[in-house]
Amino acid sequence: MAGAGGGGCPAGGNDLQWCFSQVKGAIDEDVAEADIISTVEFNYSGDLLATGDKGGRVVIFQREQENKGRPHSRGEYNVYSTFQSHEPEFDYLKSLEIEEKINKIRWLPQQNAAHFLLSTNDKTIKLWKISERDKRAEGYNLKDEDGRLRDPFRITALRVPILKPMDLMVEASPRRIFANAHTYHINSISVNSDHETYLSADDLRINLWHLEITDRSFNIVDIKPVNMEELTEVITAAEFHPHQCNVFVYSSSKGTIRLCDMRSSALCDRHAKFFEEPEDPSSRSFFSEIISSISDVKFSHSGRYMMTRDYLSVKVWDLNMESRPVETHQVHEYLRSKLCSLYENDCIFDKFECCWSGSDSAIMTGSYNNFFRMFDRNTRRDVTLEASRENSKPRASLKPRKVCTGGKRKKDEISVDSLDFNKKILHTAWHPAENIIAVAATNNLYIFQDKLN
């Protein structure tokens, strides 16, 4: 498991030291909208790392094997395959443009030499097969070597085709297309631990699919009211339990989480457990409801806990305790005084994701100014780090950043008024077994690892 010594500990001192490993993407002053990364996901082994962008492309990076001649290049990720997953479409019935932007990527556990992943935009989910070819057949009977068909009357003898080695080709082919099941925008997909089914969630409904069947899905949650004027909340994220194939959770814009058991009924409108933290009436404000909306929910690898991210904090819940979270970590409490301007520039609606370390001992989530936050659950220490090219020498240690809210600013602190709200880290991923993290900052993908790695 990750970080046996430091336990994935992100703070300084004798604990885990993060250092720069790689950065992918162009250095552009004005970034094209299509190049902005919209999702990041390691596969089950951590040897592959996929990103999706607003232009509908998926880029897969593969970890290199260790190179004895270049000991520092250990575990570098290089481009393995790039393909166009989704194209822009137009819904003529509703006169709506459907963006090609990739909302989520989820890998399937590897069963054979090929890799499979699901990718989705707002409406359509696709199952992709990524496979390698390093041999080609030669010596066809009906075709010449250049591919032209031969005249059947000129064929006097039968040949046995032989396989010749060729340069490695990585092919991505769409194996299934799951469409026409969502009226609203898809915000989540999650592969079940039975490896045969997966769920997809939009604002009001969650559907259950079989990976082999594209023309029908089962609606397992429907919160759409008869009268849409009575709508008070929407579904913001959903995920299957990592080990129990009948259990899933979904979060809402009201800051609540519902855990459902598919064994109890086919339509899981009645939850088995309901997680909600009672609100402190003294801190209620105009923004309370907006900032309590949950933007992401993730089960721990052990399946004992789940983590939720709202606008200002990350909370860890024990599945056996519904009344309140067992941990609350403030991500950027200094923004509480800035909610008015964040509402005016629409940043208050940003959807930050969160992720667990491989050993569940640390958690990570993003913030503004290309900052991201790590919380060590054992030592209760936390740290703010920055994804920036200024410190992008290989093995360069990341210096903890501090934000000051008022009074005198120390020399290495940054004032809350000079934070750049256009630079935001919404998407992060943690290697399933090692201390390697991937952080998406606009159009760049940063990879950091611990000093020991």
Side-chain angles (χ1 to χ4, degrees):
M1 276 301 183
C9 188
N14 304 323
D15 306 320
L16 203 72
Q17 266 281 312
W18 288 96
C19 64
F20 175 85
S21 178
Q22 293 168 271
V23 58
K24 306 283 185 187
I27 313 175
D28 283 336
E29 282 309 305
D30 34 330
V31 177
E33 182 80 3
D35 294 335
I36 295 174
I37 298 172
S38 53
T39 184
V40 185
E41 193 77 12
F42 280 101
N43 74 337
Y44 280 74
S45 67
D47 289 337
L48 298 178
L49 172 62
T51 64
D53 65 23
K54 288 193 173 180
R57 291 178 298 259
V58 171
V59 180
I60 299 173
F61 301 91
Q62 185 183 45
R63 193 175 181 186
E64 296 295 321
Q65 298 303 312
E66 291 199 37
N67 184 338
K68 296 222 167 15
R70 295 174 57 219
H72 285 313
S73 73
R74 175 173 167 233
E76 273 195 5
Y77 284 84
N78 292 318
V79 174
Y80 178 61
S81 174
T82 303
F83 58 94
Q84 189 72 32
S85 173
H86 287 68
E87 304 278 357
E89 294 172 59
F90 193 78
D91 183 335
Y92 291 99
L93 280 174
K94 299 199 182 77
S95 295
L96 276 179
E97 281 188 61
I98 301 166
E99 289 184 2
E100 63 272 41
K101 172 191 164 199
I102 308 292
N103 292 346
K104 286 283 186 290
I105 289 171
R106 290 289 179 263
W107 291 91
L108 273 62
Q110 193 175 357
Q111 314 277 4
N112 51 32
H115 297 274
F116 289 86
L117 62 82
L118 290 166
S119 65
T120 183
N121 66 350
D122 283 341
K123 296 287 180 196
T124 304
I125 305 153
K126 295 185 180 181
L127 174 68
W128 290 89
K129 177 184 181 181
I130 294 93
S131 51
E132 295 184 354
R133 271 198 15 217
D134 58 357
K135 292 185 175 62
R136 66 164 187 267
E138 278 188 9
Y140 288 106
N141 288 291
L142 302 177
K143 283 192 291 198
D144 283 327
E145 296 312 322
D146 56 5
R148 280 186 307 213
L149 286 173
R150 292 169 70 192
D151 180 359
F153 295 107
R154 284 183 34 237
I155 300 172
T156 54
L158 288 178
R159 297 190 288 180
V160 178
I162 54 169
L163 287 174
K164 287 261 184 85
M166 59 179 245
D167 288 342
L168 178 70
M169 253 178 68
V170 181
E171 293 180 316
S173 51
R175 301 312 296 263
R176 309 260 186 283
I177 295 177
F178 306 88
N180 308 322
H182 285 276
T183 313
Y184 308 99
H185 292 345
I186 297 171
N187 57 45
S188 305
I189 48 176
S190 178
V191 180
N192 198 346
S193 58
D194 64 10
H195 305 163
E196 291 184 1
T197 56
Y198 73 94
L199 64 76
S200 58
D202 67 24
D203 295 336
L204 297 179
R205 295 193 180 102
I206 301 176
N207 292 331
L208 179 69
W209 300 85
H210 194 287
L211 282 161
E212 299 290 331
I213 301 166
T214 57
D215 57 357
R216 67 175 182 272
S217 63
F218 294 97
N219 179 226
I220 51 174
V221 171
D222 186 349
I223 65 165
K224 185 181 181 184
V226 180
N227 179 2
M228 279 295 268
E229 285 173 10
E230 291 166 11
L231 184 68
T232 57
E233 62 180 335
V234 294
I235 297 167
T236 55
E239 191 180 53
F240 266 120
H241 190 281
H243 314 304
Q244 298 168 12
C245 60
N246 48 287
V247 172
F248 67 95
V249 291
Y250 67 93
S251 59
S252 89
S253 56
K254 273 196 163 171
T256 62
I257 311 105
R258 291 171 175 84
L259 182 137
C260 303
D261 189 334
M262 293 192 293
R263 291 172 303 189
S264 57
S265 68
L267 191 63
C268 299
D269 284 355
R270 296 182 55 183
H271 48 265
K273 292 188 175 183
F274 183 76
F275 300 84
E276 182 177 31
E277 185 168 31
E279 195 194 9
D280 177 6
S282 64
S283 63
R284 183 152 181 82
S285 74
F286 169 75
F287 303 109
S288 293
E289 201 154 298
I290 303 173
I291 63 172
S292 67
S293 175
I294 293 173
S295 54
D296 195 17
V297 58
K298 292 266 175 37
F299 278 108
S300 63
H301 296 82
S302 68
R304 165 88 190 266
Y305 301 98
M306 65 180 173
M307 164 169 56
T308 58
R309 171 75 208 257
D310 57 41
Y311 190 64
L312 293 178
S313 66
V314 175
K315 292 170 182 169
V316 176
W317 303 77
D318 188 320
L319 291 193
N320 300 324
M321 189 167 99
E322 299 166 59
S323 55
R324 62 174 198 278
V326 288
E327 297 166 31
T328 300
H329 303 281
Q330 301 302 336
V331 176
H332 36 218
E333 187 60 23
Y334 46 80
L335 295 183
R336 199 177 281 278
S337 59
K338 297 256 174 259
L339 292 177
C340 226
S341 51
L342 290 162
Y343 178 74
E344 283 163 10
N345 66 14
D346 275 356
C347 283
I348 202 166
F349 302 109
D350 285 335
K351 292 177 168 47
F352 291 95
E353 294 170 8
C354 51
C355 63
W356 295 87
S357 69
S359 60
D360 294 338
S361 61
I363 54 186
M364 170 170 62
T365 190
S367 179
Y368 294 104
N369 208 65
N370 277 1
F371 289 170
F372 57 100
R373 300 270 286 140
M374 290 190 162
F375 304 94
D376 186 285
R377 299 181 56 218
N378 301 330
T379 62
R380 291 303 169 108
R381 300 235 280 257
D382 63 272
V383 69
T384 304
L385 300 171
E386 181 182 9
S388 104
R389 284 183 180 266
E390 271 150 40
N391 201 16
S392 56
K393 292 186 188 69
R395 318 292 293 164
S397 289
L398 298 189
K399 284 203 283 289
R401 305 301 309 257
K402 285 203 167 51
V403 177
C404 82
T405 48
K408 271 193 79 151
R409 185 163 65 90
K410 299 199 183 97
K411 90 170 165 38
D412 54 351
E413 290 185 335
I414 180 167
S415 157
V416 68
D417 297 313
S418 53
L419 294 173
D420 186 344
F421 291 107
N422 292 318
K423 291 181 173 175
K424 52 191 90 167
I425 290 184
L426 303 174
H427 315 286
T428 58
W430 201 308
H431 188 289
E434 293 179 49
N435 285 318
I436 299 173
I437 54 173
V439 170
T442 323
N443 63 324
N444 290 312
L445 179 73
Y446 287 84
I447 298 171
F448 304 107
Q449 52 181 317
D450 64 5
K451 259 309 203 212
L452 309 167
N453 220 325

